[in-house]
Amino acid sequence: MKGLKQQLAQAKVDTIRVKLLVSLARGSLQLGYADSLLMYSQQALAVAQKSNYTEGVSDAYWLMIWAYRQLGRYPEALQTAFHNLHLAEQTKDSLAVWIALRHMMFVFNDLQEYHTTLRYARRSRKLVPSLQSKDEKAVQRYALSGYMNFMSHAFEELNQLDSALCYKRRAYKMAHAIRDNQLVALTTDNLVRHFSKTAVDDSTVYYARLCIEYVKRTGFRLDLAANAQLALARVYRRRNQLDSALHYARSSLAISRRMKRLAAQVEATSLLHALYANQTPKDSAYTYFVLKTTLQDSLVNLEKIKQTESIKYQEALRQQQLGQERREAQQRYTRRITTYCLLGGFVLLLSIGFSLYRIRQIRHESQLKFSFTKRIHQTEMRVLRAQMNPHFFFNCLNSINRYIVKSDPKTASHYLTKFARLMRLTLDNSASESISLEKEIQTLQLYLDMESMRFDNAFAYAIEVAEEIQPDALTIPSMLLQPYIENAIWHGLLHKKNGGHVWLRFRQPTEDLLTVEIEDNGIGRQKAKELKSKETVSSKSYGMQISQDRLFLIQEVYGLQATVEVKDLQDGQGNGSGTKVLVQLPAQAS
């Protein structure tokens, strides 16, 4: 023990400290020092729990159970035994569970709850086939022997002596079969108790001497040797061999004193008092009588404490059962509520699912309707573009015809070349709903060049593109702006004598908006109406109407902002000084 304490003082690793504390507790158990046993086992439990050392926790628990039993603190012993069993069940180790059940049986034996002991013993018996270790058969036999010991003790306390003896003999044979000297000593002690109780002296002497021999060999459970020596003393008293009876009685008392076994001391002093009662002088008889009386008083007090602890245990058990019943009732209520919630949730999910299905169905129908409407509008836009192309070509061919009529073949050829390029661009552009702003500007520039040539450079034009605009990165509807430019030239500048000008401005005020201004300094719309130029108005109105229809369809099909606004410009005297067309289009990336 001293060496273990020195090692403990130097140990740094928690698992090693736990093992050393467990070893010290075992030593205290062998020597019968219950207080030291409790102290070391509690320290081992604290360190093992801190380091999550499960094996150490289990060892500390069963040592604490032994300590509480020896100190008569049975409710604490039982509570610790339950903790130990719960831990073993969590590990799912059948051997650990069996050992935990064994300690439960020890405690219920102490509490004289023998029927409960039998119940736990039968439960432990069912685990025996599943016990696994390096020597599986030996472990299983050891377990069976332990099971039989508990069964025999329970039957003995229930006064079923034949059943008790049967289990004691089977346990003894099993212990011999596995050659476990400690278990042989324990099973032999059980036989000594039985034969001493039934006054079978020869068998008592045989097994008592055998028990003492095995205790000497193993140093295990000195209390077993004390029991055997007391049984021999009683046999020798009945045989009237007083010297032998005194020898064994004194030896039994010495061991019981050292191990602080109060009940065993009372039995030994009672026997010694009886042995010395018929001898003279009477001093020894009186001494043992006084000692016996003192020990009996202490034992009575201890029994009262034990009874009080038993009552406390019964009350704690009753409260535990009531708590268990309340928990079970709460669990039943919770399960019922959970079932109702699940049913309600299921109905709710069905309702939500049906609603989602209907919403999806309605959306699908709306999408089909929208898709159908969109296809109709796209078809209408294609028809409008198809109408616009011949209208534009007709105007261009009209201009070429004018040069041919004027007998100016060079200009007609130059004009025709530009027209061919313009027609190629127009045909390419008309195949798509939208084109890049860069291509649109090229097309409009060719058109303005051709119109300027046609009117003998009677007007000038300017195309302004804001710095923030990248023409090749934006798209606009193809052939959309040309009718407005054509209208500005034919409607506004045709009747102006000189200084005609057309401005084409591209701006991007916001990231999503593109504005186009087509401004002329012609005679204005009011003056043009007064001149009633039918040909011009007819051509102009036809092209602009097509562009307005296209802008309307862009808004309908794509949901994009697309508007056109025409403003009349006036000079200081209120006379018409031109027209400004403002077209707003979505700024779409190419």
Side-chain angles (χ1 to χ4, degrees):
M1 294 285 284
K2 185 177 180 181
L4 290 173
K5 291 178 182 179
Q6 290 175 349
Q7 292 179 42
L8 179 63
Q10 297 173 357
K12 303 296 182 184
V13 180
D14 284 344
T15 53
I16 295 175
R17 285 177 56 80
V18 171
K19 289 178 181 179
L20 289 170
L21 286 166
V22 167
S23 297
L24 286 166
R26 287 175 189 258
S28 300
L29 176 61
Q30 293 288 348
L31 296 172
Y33 301 151
D35 293 332
S36 299
L37 169 60
L38 181 59
M39 179 186 70
Y40 289 127
S41 59
Q42 286 178 333
Q43 290 177 6
L45 178 65
V47 178
Q49 287 179 331
K50 179 183 175 183
S51 58
N52 293 322
Y53 181 29
T54 306
E55 185 179 347
V57 172
S58 180
D59 287 341
Y61 271 146
W62 74 260
L63 287 164
M64 284 173 64
I65 294 167
W66 274 103
Y68 285 133
R69 289 177 58 219
Q70 288 186 2
L71 294 169
R73 294 161 62 175
Y74 299 109
E76 291 166 286
L78 186 61
Q79 185 179 22
T80 307
F82 274 120
H83 287 323
N84 190 32
L85 179 59
H86 180 65
L87 176 66
E89 288 172 339
Q90 284 183 325
T91 63
K92 297 181 180 180
D93 182 349
S94 56
L95 181 58
V97 174
W98 181 86
I99 293 171
L101 289 171
R102 184 166 173 262
H103 291 295
M104 292 288 293
M105 290 184 276
F106 278 130
V107 178
F108 281 114
N109 264 348
D110 293 339
L111 292 169
Q112 299 180 358
E113 297 280 343
Y114 302 117
H115 290 290
T116 307
T117 301
L118 288 174
R119 189 172 74 247
Y120 278 101
R122 292 187 179 103
R123 181 180 168 187
S124 71
R125 173 66 180 86
K126 294 177 182 178
L127 290 174
V128 171
S130 63
L131 299 181
Q132 295 180 352
S133 183
K134 293 180 180 178
D135 191 349
E136 187 174 317
K137 288 184 178 179
V139 169
Q140 291 180 357
R141 287 175 178 174
Y142 179 85
L144 283 171
S145 179
Y147 158 75
M148 292 170 189
N149 270 334
F150 280 108
M151 293 293 287
S152 66
H153 186 70
F155 280 125
E156 187 174 52
E157 294 299 330
L158 294 170
N159 206 31
Q160 299 180 27
L161 299 181
D162 291 340
S163 297
L165 180 59
C166 176
Y167 278 107
K168 288 176 188 289
R169 289 187 184 279
R170 290 169 65 183
Y172 174 74
K173 289 179 181 179
M174 193 70 70
H176 266 289
I178 61 176
R179 297 178 181 178
D180 186 322
N181 290 336
Q182 290 185 357
L183 191 58
V184 170
L186 188 62
T187 54
T188 306
D189 174 69
N190 285 338
L191 287 168
V192 171
R193 287 173 181 274
H194 177 82
F195 289 122
S196 179
K197 187 175 183 177
T198 55
V200 182
D201 290 347
D202 291 339
S203 296
T204 301
V205 171
Y206 173 76
Y207 286 111
R209 287 176 176 171
L210 193 62
C211 179
I212 294 168
E213 179 63 27
Y214 275 105
V215 170
K216 285 181 180 179
R217 286 185 196 177
T218 61
F220 172 73
R221 296 284 301 274
L222 295 177
D223 58 307
L224 302 182
N227 294 338
Q229 287 170 344
L230 191 60
L232 285 172
R234 287 175 177 146
V235 170
Y236 287 126
R237 181 193 176 196
R238 285 195 292 269
R239 291 179 176 178
N240 207 26
Q241 298 177 15
L242 298 182
D243 291 339
S244 297
L246 287 169
H247 168 72
Y248 283 114
R250 283 194 291 264
S251 297
S252 176
L253 178 60
I255 295 173
S256 297
R257 275 181 171 175
R258 187 168 44 171
M259 298 188 70
K260 300 178 181 179
R261 298 173 66 231
L262 203 58
Q265 290 181 61
V266 170
E267 291 184 21
T269 53
S270 296
L271 181 58
L272 285 166
H273 169 254
L275 290 171
Y276 281 112
N278 296 324
Q279 295 184 13
T280 55
K282 304 291 184 179
D283 295 346
S284 297
Y286 178 75
T287 300
Y288 283 114
F289 174 77
V290 172
L291 182 58
K292 178 188 74 169
T293 304
T294 303
L295 290 170
Q296 282 178 334
D297 291 341
S298 299
L299 185 61
V300 168
N301 291 333
L302 184 63
E303 286 298 325
K304 287 180 179 178
I305 293 171
K306 184 175 178 180
Q307 289 175 0
T308 303
E309 293 292 342
S310 180
I311 292 170
K312 288 181 180 178
Y313 158 72
Q314 294 292 345
E315 178 62 21
L317 187 61
R318 189 180 69 83
Q319 292 296 333
Q320 186 180 13
Q321 289 173 344
L322 288 173
Q324 181 66 25
E325 289 173 1
R326 283 195 293 268
R327 284 192 295 273
E328 289 175 356
Q330 181 64 34
Q331 288 172 356
R332 286 194 297 271
Y333 175 75
T334 304
R335 282 196 295 269
R336 203 158 47 241
I337 294 299
T338 303
T339 303
Y340 294 151
C341 289
L342 287 174
L343 287 173
F346 180 70
V347 172
L348 181 61
L349 284 175
L350 281 179
S351 302
I352 293 172
F354 179 73
S355 300
L356 290 174
Y357 169 75
R358 283 294 302 145
I359 291 170
R360 198 178 296 114
Q361 193 176 39
I362 292 168
R363 283 180 179 173
H364 181 64
E365 291 172 357
S366 299
Q367 286 172 354
L368 286 176
K369 185 177 180 180
F370 174 76
S371 176
F372 181 71
T373 305
K374 184 177 178 179
R375 284 199 295 270
I376 292 174
H377 288 336
Q378 287 174 340
T379 303
E380 290 175 354
M381 289 180 72
R382 284 195 293 270
V383 170
L384 288 174
R385 287 203 308 275
Q387 290 175 348
M388 187 171 182
N389 289 338
H391 165 75
F392 176 65
F393 294 153
F394 172 78
N395 290 336
C396 291
L397 290 173
N398 236 1
S399 298
I400 295 170
N401 183 54
R402 287 174 184 266
Y403 283 111
I404 293 172
V405 170
K406 288 181 180 181
S407 299
D408 188 353
K410 185 176 179 180
T411 304
S413 174
H414 183 56
Y415 194 94
L416 187 59
T417 301
K418 284 186 176 289
F419 172 71
R421 286 178 59 200
L422 181 60
M423 190 172 89
R424 176 61 182 269
L425 281 171
T426 304
L427 289 173
D428 288 344
N429 295 345
S430 65
S432 303
E433 290 185 11
S434 61
I435 59 172
S436 69
L437 180 59
E438 184 179 31
K439 283 189 177 182
E440 181 70 4
I441 291 172
Q442 290 176 5
T443 304
L444 294 176
Q445 189 170 7
L446 272 173
Y447 173 73
L448 285 165
D449 284 343
M450 290 174 63
E451 290 293 80
S452 181
M453 286 175 61
R454 176 183 173 189
F455 292 112
D456 298 324
N457 297 317
F459 70 90
Y461 70 88
I463 299 176
E464 301 172 8
V465 181
E467 292 182 358
E468 68 269 13
I469 295 177
Q470 295 181 355
D472 59 340
L474 296 176
T475 62
I476 66 171
S478 62
M479 303 293 291
L480 182 69
L481 301 176
Q482 184 271 337
Y484 296 108
I485 296 174
E486 178 183 341
N487 185 67
I489 295 169
W490 285 43
H491 187 77
L493 301 178
L494 183 63
H495 301 289
K496 189 176 178 69
K497 293 181 180 180
N498 51 44
H501 206 104
V502 177
W503 292 273
L504 184 58
R505 303 184 186 95
F506 293 91
R507 302 283 186 271
Q508 190 175 1
T510 65
E511 186 177 351
D512 300 325
L513 183 64
L514 176 68
T515 63
V516 184
E517 290 182 3
I518 303 164
E519 183 180 347
D520 67 80
N521 62 349
I523 62 174
R525 287 191 297 174
Q526 186 61 34
K527 187 68 175 176
K529 284 182 180 180
E530 293 173 2
L531 293 175
K532 297 183 179 179
S533 177
K534 291 186 179 179
E535 181 183 357
T536 303
V537 172
S538 174
S539 299
K540 170 211 62 174
S541 300
Y542 183 63
M544 288 183 65
Q545 185 60 46
I546 291 173
S547 292
Q548 288 176 349
D549 289 345
R550 289 180 67 195
L551 287 171
F552 171 76
L553 289 175
I554 287 171
Q555 292 188 86
E556 287 293 311
V557 174
Y558 301 107
L560 300 172
Q561 185 71 18
T563 62
V564 60
E565 181 182 1
V566 181
K567 295 181 179 180
D568 293 314
L569 303 178
Q570 295 179 342
D571 59 15
Q573 288 76 33
N575 299 319
S577 61
T579 306
K580 181 188 286 188
V581 179
L582 179 61
V583 181
Q584 291 187 328
L585 297 169
Q588 294 179 292
S590 58

